[in-house]
Amino acid sequence: MNLARRKDRHSNVQAISLWSFAMISFLSLSQPLFSHPSFESNASLEMTIADEIVQGKVASESGEALIGASIRVKGTDKGTVTDIEGNFSIALPTDEPSTLIVSYIGYEEQVITYTAKAGAKNNLSVNLKASSTNLNTLVVTGYGVRAKRDLTGSVASVQAKDIKEQAVTSFDQALVGKMAGVNVIQTSGAPGGNVSIRIRGVSSISAGNNPLFVIDGIPVTNDTRSASNGVNSYEQPFNPLASLNPSDIESIDVLKDAASAAIYGSRGSGGVVLITTKKGKSGKLRINYDGSYGLQEVNKKVDLLDAYEYAQVVYDGHNNAYFDAVPTGKPTDPNSVRPTNPALRVPPQILPYLAGQQGLTNTDWQDEIFRQAPMQSHTLSVSGGTENVTFLFSGAYLNQDGIVINNNLTRYNTRFRVDAKLNKFSFGVNMSPSFSTNQVVNSEGPWFAPNSGVVSMALGYAPIFPVYNPDGTFADSVNVWGYGQTNQLNPVAVAN
């Protein structure tokens, strides 16, 4: 079995302490960490001889003081926050224009250019405008569509522009880090691999914890507890939601509170994910193309022994077993004088490596099973219509190679949607057929048969053996060497 060198990693954790409430007139921070009030009893203002102190006040448009508003100097580490009366003090270079960035939660960020004058009374007054963009955003709920300002439940939203910025094969991968209280983990790195979504944590031990997915009002599930990919019991099942083209999605709304169970029953006990797909808009004919291309590769390989180092470890291991059985033995004793137990004898395959002979087989099995894998996605859509009838037609193609050889996902999507209104009636047609093929490789699991995982096999396979025989066939029979050594299958042969 191959041996890996261990490399310890240590991470530094920086603790941040918030002191109790205290009234102050100014505060200096090396870097603003929060946009809410933070006070210290012993505040100091960092400045140089060439700096001038600028005093000011931050308030809303109505004149109400904003406590804890952040004031930063662009391009530097200078910053401060306002006190309970909205006042602040900050040191700025004399007779040089400085760019101040003033921000506060719920208000639009304001950028101000100010020049501090030497010997003058430098005062600055800032009035921030309330941000109503987020409050006016429409959110899909179980009962319909309403503005965020009218919501009483806990709902998180992701819009189409947020999904478009990421090169993902399924929309659930785009939710990573986008919503508070929604934990998204990709359990497999294979193309079309499963994704675990947990809303409000784990709520059940024996029952499912996956949320209910509702696509354009139709409930679907990605429960894969009883699913199998037909490869082995260690391999993660496929993601059933990977058949949906992320470019067809208009918005994703997650119902996180218990009210979702009142709408969808026990199926919504793990939360509800509402998916709204795009539809046509009245007006001129619109033709849109969305495409991406990227490369995937292993970020860091495991540092393993090469063939010469491996041969030395095998030699030492067999000699240690020999000395335990024959304490008077010597490392140079040939196999002819050693006991018949093969574990006590030195495998002849490693002798040329021990002699330092150059040009021998030295296979890096990680290089043999891993590759730089391309990924491309293309979507073409046509939409338009009148005030009463709108339509959208789209076609998509995805091709993703896995970083393990011979692993691939190919997907074809089409979508046809027509929405019509006639007086008080609304009706439409929404069809989205898809076809996908997934060429699977046993990448997960242990090294031993019958569920051999090629990654584990590559980490444990002896580097003294070649990948191919001289005639181009996979080298399997020559890799059975006995002498108490573990015999494995060729990882490349298994992957192919």
Side-chain angles (χ1 to χ4, degrees):
M1 182 175 182
N2 208 341
L3 301 178
R5 301 190 183 99
R6 295 183 177 269
K7 294 185 178 180
D8 296 331
R9 299 180 179 177
H10 303 277
S11 59
N12 297 324
V13 180
Q14 181 180 7
I16 302 173
S17 300
L18 290 178
W19 294 87
S20 59
F21 184 93
M23 295 180 58
I24 56 173
S25 59
F26 54 84
L27 176 65
S28 176
L29 298 175
S30 61
Q31 183 176 357
L33 299 176
F34 304 98
S35 58
H36 59 276
S38 177
F39 301 97
E40 294 184 2
S41 57
N42 297 321
S44 61
L45 186 64
E46 297 181 359
M47 60 179 295
T48 62
I49 299 178
D51 287 349
E52 289 288 332
I53 296 180
V54 177
Q55 296 181 335
K57 182 174 182 179
V58 180
S60 63
E61 288 183 309
S62 60
E64 180 182 1
L66 299 181
I67 306 173
S70 171
I71 300 94
R72 297 183 291 117
V73 182
K74 185 178 181 180
T76 70
D77 58 358
K78 290 183 179 180
T80 186
V81 294
T82 58
D83 59 16
I84 59 174
E85 296 180 352
N87 298 320
F88 69 91
S89 297
I90 191 169
L92 298 179
T94 305
D95 297 328
E96 292 183 10
S98 300
T99 302
L100 301 178
I101 302 176
V102 185
S103 60
Y104 190 75
I105 294 177
Y107 290 80
E108 295 181 1
E109 186 178 84
Q110 191 171 140
V111 180
I112 302 172
T113 301
Y114 186 83
T115 303
K117 301 296 183 180
K121 188 176 181 180
N122 296 286
N123 288 327
L124 181 61
S125 179
V126 182
N127 293 95
L128 296 181
K129 182 179 179 182
S131 176
S132 60
T133 303
N134 291 333
L135 297 178
N136 292 328
T137 302
L138 294 180
V139 177
V140 179
T141 66
Y143 295 111
V145 179
R146 61 180 64 185
K148 270 191 175 181
R149 67 175 70 198
D150 299 327
L151 284 176
T152 58
S154 179
V155 180
S157 301
V158 172
Q159 303 301 316
K161 62 179 182 179
D162 301 317
I163 302 175
K164 185 178 180 181
E165 294 172 354
Q166 305 182 56
V168 294
T169 57
S170 64
F171 73 89
D172 42 9
Q173 297 173 4
L175 301 181
V176 177
K178 294 289 186 180
M179 300 178 178
V182 180
N183 187 22
V184 182
I185 301 176
Q186 188 167 355
T187 58
S188 173
N194 193 31
V195 175
S196 172
I197 300 179
R198 296 292 180 265
I199 300 174
R200 305 187 305 272
V202 177
S203 58
S204 175
I205 298 177
S206 58
N209 290 285
N210 291 329
L212 174 66
F213 291 86
V214 181
I215 303 177
D216 289 334
I218 301 176
V220 297
T221 180
N222 73 332
D223 191 351
T224 57
R225 286 176 297 152
S226 59
S228 173
N229 58 16
V231 181
N232 62 56
S233 57
Y234 296 95
E235 202 80 17
Q236 289 288 332
F238 301 142
N239 182 8
L241 299 176
S243 60
L244 181 62
N245 182 19
S247 298
D248 288 335
I249 296 176
E250 183 67 29
S251 65
I252 301 174
D253 300 281
V254 178
L255 309 184
K256 299 186 292 183
D257 56 7
S260 58
I263 304 171
Y264 296 99
S266 60
R267 293 184 301 173
S269 60
V272 179
V273 179
L274 303 174
I275 303 168
T276 304
T277 60
K278 296 179 180 179
K279 61 181 180 179
K281 298 180 180 180
S282 61
K284 296 181 180 179
L285 184 69
R286 297 178 178 88
I287 302 177
N288 295 320
Y289 169 78
D290 181 18
S292 64
Y293 181 87
L295 295 174
Q296 309 160 96
E297 60 182 5
V298 176
N299 185 37
K300 181 176 176 59
K301 298 188 303 179
V302 180
D303 189 12
L304 300 176
L305 304 176
D306 65 13
Y308 294 89
E309 296 169 330
Y310 180 78
Q312 185 63 49
V313 171
V314 172
Y315 178 70
D316 293 339
H318 281 268
N319 278 334
N320 288 337
Y322 174 52
F323 298 152
D324 288 340
V326 184
T328 58
K330 298 179 181 179
T332 56
D333 289 347
N335 288 340
S336 59
V337 301
R338 299 191 181 204
T340 57
N341 186 348
L344 308 182
R345 297 187 172 190
V346 178
Q349 292 92 335
I350 67 173
L351 296 179
Y353 294 90
L354 297 175
Q357 183 178 341
Q358 299 300 312
L360 301 175
T361 299
N362 193 352
T363 305
D364 187 332
W365 289 101
Q366 292 183 90
D367 285 344
E368 297 298 331
I369 67 165
F370 292 133
R371 63 180 175 180
Q372 190 178 67
M375 169 184 172
Q376 58 178 318
S377 175
H378 307 277
T379 302
L380 181 65
S381 64
V382 180
S383 62
T386 63
E387 294 183 358
N388 296 324
V389 180
T390 59
F391 71 92
L392 181 143
F393 176 78
S394 67
Y397 168 74
L398 169 73
N399 189 294
Q400 180 186 13
D401 286 335
I403 58 175
V404 176
I405 58 175
N406 208 34
N407 193 5
N408 174 267
L409 170 65
T410 303
R411 184 184 67 204
Y412 302 89
N413 292 88
T414 58
R415 175 173 289 273
F416 179 70
R417 178 167 181 171
V418 177
D419 296 278
K421 294 186 298 182
L422 181 60
N423 297 328
K424 296 181 180 180
F425 299 96
S426 298
F427 54 93
V429 177
N430 190 355
M431 297 187 299
S432 56
S434 65
F435 175 80
S436 60
T437 58
N438 198 331
Q439 189 169 345
V440 183
V441 174
N442 299 357
S443 58
E444 302 174 26
W447 58 268
F448 50 82
N451 298 317
S452 303
V454 296
V455 176
S456 298
M457 295 171 63
L459 296 178
Y461 208 63
I464 65 174
F465 294 129
V467 181
Y468 302 98
N469 293 318
D471 60 358
T473 59
F474 289 111
D476 268 333
S477 59
V478 297
N479 295 353
V480 180
W481 55 337
Y483 290 89
Q485 296 295 124
T486 302
N487 295 323
Q488 294 181 219
L489 298 175
N490 186 329
V492 178
V494 173
N496 285 272

